[in-house]
Amino acid sequence: MIDSKGYRPNVGIILCNDEGRVFWAKRMGVNSWQFPQGGINPNEDPEAAMYRELCEETGLQQQHVQVLGRTRYWLRYQLPERYIRKNSLPLCIGQKQIWYMLRLITHESNVRFDQCAKPEFDDWRWVDYWEPLKDVVYFKRKVYLKAMSELGAILTAETIPVNASGYLAKEIEKAKDKKRKK
């Protein structure tokens, strides 16, 4: 299901624990990490897709999580040219996503990767809230920043730094240093 502008509807899931750390999953067979996410099927609303993807990718059921919030609008990212399948129609140039913030309310032993025929992940860990911005594949970084900035405001624990400005300042300085070295 691709929209008229070439974007595939999708949901993204930020799952946190009571300490404000987030679930960070390793893609099957490679050293690539991301939040759970997946496509929305025809005639499926985003929340139903979120619960389906959550179960397929993590084994967690609706009763294992509490929905804390979701992004107000679709967030989009474009695929790099080399990932666009030019021979498939309609042409998909990227994804538009509704992101959800969930809190785990069950024991983490309920996380299982064997709930679908072709598991997406083979490992996971809890990480500090902003760590995914450093590790996610580059072309998803801006959409992660937007989703995490909007949804991070939901986490109210004083010990959790939800303001991305510190992270951004470091990234800007790194970029300036690279330009100076060239």
Side-chain angles (χ1 to χ4, degrees):
M1 197 169 85
I2 311 295
D3 73 12
S4 62
K5 295 182 180 176
Y7 290 91
R8 178 176 176 242
N10 189 284
V11 292
I13 301 167
I14 301 172
L15 176 66
C16 69
N17 63 15
D18 288 336
E19 295 150 15
R21 293 171 62 86
V22 292
F23 180 92
W24 196 226
K26 182 180 161 296
R27 292 188 54 87
M28 179 66 77
V30 294
N31 189 25
S32 179
W33 295 75
Q34 70 176 54
F35 289 129
Q37 71 174 58
I40 299 174
N41 294 329
N43 301 315
E44 184 178 42
D45 68 66
E47 187 168 321
M50 180 271 295
Y51 282 122
R52 178 182 49 75
E53 288 293 336
L54 180 71
C55 182
E56 289 175 5
E57 295 190 359
T58 70
L60 297 171
Q61 305 278 331
Q62 185 171 349
Q63 68 269 18
H64 295 142
V65 298
Q66 174 188 14
V67 176
L68 299 178
R70 61 163 266 185
T71 54
R72 288 173 290 175
Y73 307 107
W74 292 104
L75 303 179
R76 290 173 173 76
Y77 71 85
Q78 288 190 345
L79 293 167
E81 193 72 25
R82 68 178 179 267
Y83 294 122
I84 296 175
R85 296 180 189 137
K86 305 273 193 223
N87 297 329
S88 67
L89 293 174
L91 185 65
C92 177
I93 64 162
Q95 298 200 18
K96 64 179 186 181
Q97 300 174 312
I98 295 291
W99 281 83
Y100 287 85
M101 173 72 79
L102 308 178
R103 184 173 69 91
L104 185 68
I105 57 173
T106 189
H107 194 272
E108 61 188 45
S109 64
N110 286 310
V111 173
R112 298 176 45 187
F113 296 131
D114 61 355
Q115 297 302 294
C116 64
K118 191 176 176 190
E120 294 255 349
F121 305 121
D122 60 15
D123 197 9
W124 72 277
R125 64 183 189 243
W126 293 114
V127 298
D128 290 336
Y129 190 78
W130 294 108
E131 186 174 324
L133 289 180
K134 296 182 289 185
D135 292 338
V136 71
V137 66
Y138 71 95
F139 61 87
K140 293 183 181 180
R141 200 162 286 143
K142 285 181 184 174
V143 81
Y144 268 50
L145 176 60
K146 288 177 185 175
M148 294 177 76
S149 295
E150 182 176 344
L151 296 172
I154 294 168
L155 299 178
T156 57
E158 292 175 14
T159 59
I160 303 162
V162 295
N163 183 339
S165 62
Y167 169 79
L168 291 175
K170 289 178 193 171
E171 291 302 303
I172 291 167
E173 276 306 309
K174 283 183 194 176
K176 286 179 182 176
D177 285 345
K178 282 184 183 178
K179 282 184 178 179
R180 280 184 233 140
K181 290 177 183 177
K182 287 182 179 182

